[in-house]
Amino acid sequence: MIWDELETGFAQLATAGLLRRRRTLDAPCSPEAEVDGRRLIAFCSNDYLGLANHPALIAAVQEAAERWGVGSGASHVVSGHLRPHAELEERLAAFVGRERALYFTTGYMANLAIAPALLERRDAIFADRLNHASLIDAAQLARAEHIRYPHGDLDWLTDRLARSRARRKLILTDAVFSMDGDLAPLPELFELAERFDAWLVVDDAHGFGVLGPQGRGSLAHFQLPASPRLILMGTLGKAAGVSGAFVAGDRRVIEWLMQRGRSYIFTTASSPVIAAALLTSLELIAAGDDRRAHLQKLITQLQEGLEELSWQLLPSPTAIQPLVIGDNPTTLALAERLFARSLWVPAIRPPTVPTGTARLRISLSAAHTTDQVDALLTVLRSGIDLDAQTFPANP
Ligand SMILES: *Cc1c(COP(=O)(O)O)cnc(C)c1O
């Protein structure tokens, strides 16, 4: 019985074109991937600045392993909080210009800590419909009412905030939407947070390191003030090239997360070598204007190169450039055909994106060359009719 249901589930996923499959890489994260003995140009990773495999980070990890060992041995609140973790938190807070920062093992866990720690039953969360899954899960874990507003619809949101009788209110949004690449209207959301006495939690997974002066992120990009009601979450596995995340803001909010954030307390602190790598990564991010300028150049190159295509790129100013195809089978077939041409672009399907908007999520990195982007443009422009003769099967 239990097995029958799983089998039916697999069959349904397969029919809907939703079965996920992993590919094993035989080379480090970079635009030149190696899979099953084949060399591919990859447009998949969130390593926007090309730091994941940077020699300075590798050296930092080697040194830190000698000095600090590998494991942290316990939760941060027991005995797992080592000097590199503490230093990292100080440097992160200074970098984003907030009173204090708390370092988490992953962005998923950071998001799971915030809303459930700050809210109770009589409270309400106002969340953009296109928020990342971790924010949706966090809202479900919090006992508060969960109100999802249509993507970026400020009128709708204003109306609901005005009518809400909730005791505490929290607005929850991605800064850069992870599957669309567009920016949330953060200045307007902040204004609403002030007007309705709410917290504004901004998930800057895709803005940190990329946007704003020195890559300080989306809040800096919009020049928002370091208001106590603004809570910033940033992840460190994307542009920062390592792993982990932080929450930064008012020192009382951060202290409360340390006291009450279950996904902070009930987990082993990540390795001190990760924190050491991140300290180096922060320096490279701050000094990374050349990388950001190159990334910007690639974004323009891709957008201009695809202007004539029948499929539309979503209007995204960021490294996330989604080409919306529509149905799952066509999107998958397209991704497979690109793969056969040694171009690796992930197909993103529901439930990650709304039904009928399956897409190729092209992500660019400062590590790409203009030639690599040209290679992708050439194949996409050469008329991808989904005819097997145009695109020979995997050689
Ligand atoms: C990737 C991502 C996360 C999760 O961060 P991890 O460090 O990968 O767990 C959270 N929010 C958004 C918007 C993301 O894109």
Side-chain angles (χ1 to χ4, degrees):
M1 183 60 184
I2 46 178
W3 305 116
D4 292 349
E5 283 176 11
L6 287 187
E7 294 296 349
T8 315
F10 287 133
Q12 283 167 343
L13 287 174
T15 313
L18 289 177
L19 265 187
R20 298 176 189 270
R21 92 173 207 248
R22 302 182 302 179
R23 291 192 162 108
T24 302
L25 284 84
D26 290 307
C29 169
S30 101
E32 282 154 46
E34 194 181 324
V35 175
D36 296 334
R38 290 183 56 202
R39 294 292 212 138
L40 303 153
I41 306 174
F43 294 91
C44 313
S45 87
N46 306 307
D47 179 25
Y48 301 127
L49 297 181
L51 299 182
N53 189 24
H54 193 287
L57 269 61
I58 297 170
V61 167
Q62 288 169 334
E63 268 175 46
E66 295 287 345
R67 171 73 177 79
W68 300 102
V70 177
S72 62
S75 162
H76 282 283
V77 293
V78 180
S79 64
H81 194 61
L82 279 70
R83 182 60 57 195
H85 298 122
E87 253 179 59
L88 176 63
E89 289 183 340
E90 274 169 32
R91 298 264 288 279
L92 282 166
F95 187 59
V96 296
R98 305 309 305 270
E99 282 181 2
R100 205 178 147 191
L102 193 66
Y103 170 66
F104 282 78
T105 301
T106 72
Y108 187 88
M109 292 163 73
N111 278 340
L112 283 197
I114 302 170
L118 291 175
L119 302 178
E120 291 169 16
R121 252 181 230 292
R122 287 170 294 158
D123 307 335
I125 295 172
F126 300 83
D128 191 290
R129 249 183 215 292
L130 293 192
N131 276 350
H132 188 260
S134 57
L135 293 175
I136 298 172
D137 293 0
Q140 269 159 9
L141 209 56
R143 278 176 249 221
E145 188 186 2
H146 185 194
I147 297 159
R148 298 179 75 188
Y149 58 90
H151 183 49
D153 192 336
L154 294 167
D155 291 338
W156 201 101
L157 174 60
T158 306
D159 180 56
R160 290 307 299 264
L161 281 165
R163 285 196 283 126
S164 171
R165 318 235 347 235
R167 196 186 50 156
R168 293 183 193 159
K169 306 183 189 78
L170 185 150
I171 304 171
L172 198 52
T173 187
D174 283 18
V176 176
F177 287 87
S178 52
M179 294 302 141
D180 289 48
D182 59 328
L183 298 176
L186 292 181
E188 290 80 2
L189 290 172
F190 178 64
E191 199 269 318
L192 287 177
E194 297 250 272
R195 172 138 59 111
F196 293 103
D197 189 25
W199 275 304
L200 173 60
V201 175
V202 174
D203 175 339
D204 203 18
H206 302 279
F208 182 77
V210 180
L211 297 177
Q214 290 189 299
R216 289 169 201 263
S218 299
L219 301 187
H221 169 83
F222 284 111
Q223 298 182 318
L224 289 176
S227 156
R229 67 175 70 253
L230 242 166
I231 301 172
L232 169 66
M233 191 289 264
T235 67
L236 302 167
K238 288 168 179 157
V242 188
S243 72
F246 66 94
V247 181
D250 181 85
R251 73 194 136 67
R252 293 159 295 182
V253 168
I254 302 305
E255 179 65 20
W256 190 252
L257 292 184
M258 201 193 97
Q259 299 297 334
R260 305 296 305 210
R262 294 175 65 84
S263 58
Y264 184 76
I265 298 167
F266 298 108
T267 191
T268 301
S270 78
S271 167
V273 309
I274 299 288
L278 284 166
L279 283 164
T280 301
S281 172
L282 276 186
E283 285 170 18
L284 294 175
I285 289 173
D289 282 347
D290 291 352
R291 286 194 170 79
R292 283 181 287 273
H294 180 61
L295 178 60
Q296 207 52 53
K297 185 170 133 192
L298 299 175
I299 293 169
T300 307
Q301 184 192 354
L302 184 82
Q303 288 172 334
E304 290 179 356
L306 291 182
E307 262 167 12
E308 309 285 294
L309 209 66
S310 56
W311 289 301
Q312 295 285 307
L313 274 183
L314 291 178
S316 154
T318 67
I320 303 166
Q321 292 290 321
L323 192 64
V324 173
I325 310 299
D327 67 87
N328 300 343
T330 313
T331 310
L332 277 184
L334 199 50
E336 267 164 35
R337 272 157 192 154
L338 288 170
F339 199 80
R341 296 285 193 91
S342 300
L343 293 163
W344 187 4
V345 184
I348 308 288
R349 292 154 284 166
T352 311
V353 293
T355 305
T357 69
R359 64 199 65 183
L360 296 177
R361 182 182 184 271
I362 304 167
S363 54
L364 296 171
S365 160
H368 283 117
T369 62
T370 51
D371 283 352
Q372 288 169 332
V373 173
D374 260 334
L376 177 62
L377 287 173
T378 304
V379 174
L380 280 173
R381 278 193 307 226
S382 67
I384 304 196
D385 51 40
L386 288 168
D387 175 358
Q389 291 181 334
T390 321
F391 282 83
N394 222 333

